[in-house]
Amino acid sequence: MTHDASAPPLIYGGAAQSPRAALAVLPPLALYIHIPWCVRKCPYCDFNSHTASPVLPEEEYVDALLADLDQDLHAVYGRELSSIFFGGGTPSLFSAAALGRLLKGVEQRITFAADIEITLEANPGTFEQEKFIAYRALGINRLSIGIQSFQEEKLKALGRIHNGDEALQAAGMARQAGFDNFNLDLMHGLPDQSLDDALSDLRQAIALKPTHLSWYQLTLEPNTVFWNQPPALPEDDTLWDIQEAGQALLAEHGYAQYEVSAYAQAGRAARHNLNYWSFGDFIGIGAGAHGKLSHPDGRIVRTWKTRLPKDYLNPAKNFQAGEKALPNEELPFEFLMNALRLTQGVDSRLYPERTGLPLESLAQRRLEAEQSGLLQVEPSRLAATERGQLFLNDLLQNFLS
């Protein structure tokens, strides 16, 4: 595939930049691969996903992904990949042969860490035992399974293609396919959901013994069916009761909360997502994928790729739709928007290491956030208080330029 390798010019925000310190150590590097097709678009989903045709253009898309990656290699600087994440859409719609060719092509271009984490998103309605055994044989060693609910009426309300029985069987099938590390995605605050309904779903998920649970509240996002035709959602008091009781239940069963909506057994936090939240680097390839890459001279550049699959597959169009070098004044917010999602925050030394800016440049705004009770008074860490975690947007306002 011969896409034009030229890229749009860098967009700089604000006035002329004062120089930033060179980065002595570049962050860990991850790869995000976006596969944009689903069997059916869910009414709550605002991700870049599109209803699949009967025959997917697997070969053409894999060719495009590798050509896209080739154009980003100049910014990799010989680093190795610590993790890969196949997101979507529904990546498990692709055959093992297509994903195998893609992974082989990626490894020919970038060295894999010896303990690389490779995650594939999958939905219960796409589970085929032989296909998942083949995925595991490729080196994919972690699954993220989109359950959302085990209750038939809730699944129908969410527009999901699987039923309750398929949701229950998915974890067992993952284990039989050789996956000993997998996440279950579960929502709460669903249409007409009671506290008992929500806890029933959570107990069922815990009983399946996943190593990781993503448990988060349904929100109505613009440009979705639910935004234009909102369902009847639980009252705020019920939502608060669900949150409190659910967190207690997860803790009781050994699932430690390490991020706003992420809970894991000991040693099983998602390394790929931890890299995002600690302001690590990631290449993003695929339709609509985003990336963030640091350079030795101190530049930190965000990129985004052409969104529509038909445009991404069009040789006359660029893969890259745009890029932006982050200016100094945006870095405090950019860094903390990620780091403060972690319940334990991050070591304060990570701020200068990842941004090239002195920690002292945060001092005044940090003091104000501490005095408001939203940021912990802890010199060696940047971490939200319990109240700050509840009012994270308010906390982050302190660091907006």
Side-chain angles (χ1 to χ4, degrees):
M1 181 161 287
T2 57
H3 282 65
D4 183 348
S6 63
L10 285 174
I11 304 166
Y12 289 89
Q17 297 296 297
S18 57
R20 218 160 33 227
L23 300 181
V25 179
L26 291 174
L29 180 68
L31 173 65
Y32 174 76
I33 302 172
H34 191 76
I35 296 180
W37 292 283
C38 283
V39 174
R40 182 171 66 203
K41 180 87 170 177
C42 295
Y44 58 84
C45 178
D46 69 336
F47 294 156
N48 184 32
S49 59
H50 306 266
T51 301
S53 58
V55 179
L56 289 172
E58 287 189 338
E59 291 300 309
E60 298 91 333
Y61 197 69
V62 169
D63 287 342
L65 288 168
L66 292 173
D68 186 0
L69 179 59
D70 282 336
Q71 293 185 11
D72 286 338
L73 289 181
H74 69 280
V76 169
Y77 301 106
R79 286 184 282 176
E80 64 179 23
L81 282 179
S82 60
S83 65
I84 299 173
F85 194 101
F86 289 93
T90 307
S92 54
L93 292 177
F94 267 37
S95 67
L99 296 186
R101 185 165 77 86
L102 175 56
L103 281 173
K104 183 177 180 181
V106 172
E107 192 169 14
Q108 287 171 343
R109 290 160 170 81
I110 312 178
T111 302
F112 286 10
D115 62 345
I116 190 170
E117 175 192 88
I118 306 178
T119 301
L120 178 80
E121 285 188 337
N123 287 330
T126 66
F127 262 73
E128 301 168 26
Q129 194 65 36
E130 289 185 6
K131 181 195 274 190
F132 280 79
I133 290 170
Y135 287 155
R136 185 66 190 91
L138 297 175
I140 296 170
N141 51 24
R142 185 175 180 273
L143 289 179
S144 182
I145 307 171
I147 300 289
Q148 314 315 351
S149 176
F150 295 94
Q151 297 166 33
E152 209 73 45
E153 70 278 10
K154 298 295 186 281
L155 290 169
K156 286 179 180 175
L158 292 172
R160 303 295 288 172
I161 64 167
H162 65 274
N163 59 37
D165 286 342
E166 288 173 319
L168 284 169
Q169 293 163 7
M173 291 178 70
R175 278 202 186 85
Q176 289 166 23
F179 290 94
D180 62 357
N181 188 17
F182 64 91
N183 168 66
L184 297 183
D185 244 34
L186 203 65
M187 285 184 177
H188 60 88
L190 305 181
D192 298 313
Q193 189 178 48
S194 67
L195 172 61
D196 287 344
D197 287 339
L199 293 183
S200 173
D201 266 349
L202 198 50
R203 288 191 185 97
Q204 181 61 76
I206 291 168
L208 295 174
K209 298 186 179 351
T211 49
H212 190 285
L213 271 162
S214 297
W215 187 63
Y216 52 95
Q217 184 180 321
L218 170 64
T219 55
L220 305 185
E221 302 290 351
N223 304 313
T224 65
V225 172
F226 274 5
W227 180 264
N228 296 312
Q229 303 168 31
L233 299 181
E235 299 290 334
D236 286 348
D237 286 349
T238 302
L239 293 172
W240 180 251
D241 290 343
I242 289 171
Q243 186 74 28
E244 281 200 313
Q247 287 182 328
L249 184 64
L250 285 159
E252 178 188 336
H253 286 87
Y255 291 91
Q257 183 181 16
Y258 68 95
E259 188 267 344
V260 170
S261 59
Y263 304 78
Q265 294 177 344
R268 294 296 198 165
R271 279 189 279 145
H272 186 85
N273 290 339
L274 279 174
N275 187 52
Y276 283 150
W277 297 321
S278 58
F279 214 52
D281 279 357
F282 54 98
I283 303 167
I285 59 173
H290 286 242
K292 175 245 169 188
L293 287 168
S294 305
H295 297 262
D297 61 8
R299 286 177 304 124
I300 299 171
V301 180
R302 290 204 180 276
T303 61
W304 54 96
K305 302 298 171 68
T306 297
R307 184 175 174 83
L308 293 177
K310 68 178 180 62
D311 292 336
Y312 186 80
L313 289 169
N314 183 347
K317 294 184 180 289
N318 291 336
F319 292 121
Q320 188 159 297
E323 60 181 38
K324 176 182 177 178
L326 296 177
N328 291 3
E329 64 267 19
E330 291 182 15
L331 280 173
F333 180 82
E334 286 275 342
F335 179 90
L336 293 166
M337 176 178 63
N338 293 282
L340 294 180
R341 289 183 64 91
L342 295 167
T343 55
Q344 300 302 312
V346 296
D347 188 310
S348 297
R349 291 173 295 185
L350 199 66
Y351 181 75
E353 182 180 310
R354 297 282 160 93
T355 66
L357 297 176
L359 185 61
E360 295 72 28
S361 65
L362 288 180
Q364 184 57 41
R365 287 180 284 185
R366 189 176 180 181
L367 178 62
E368 291 167 2
E370 290 170 350
Q371 290 173 340
S372 68
L374 299 176
L375 193 71
Q376 290 184 23
V377 182
E378 174 54 69
S380 66
R381 295 199 72 74
L382 290 163
T385 61
E386 285 189 24
R387 183 166 174 266
Q389 290 169 22
L390 293 173
F391 299 100
L392 193 54
N393 287 340
D394 293 339
L395 171 53
L396 289 171
Q397 290 297 316
N398 290 275
F399 300 96
L400 270 174
S401 294

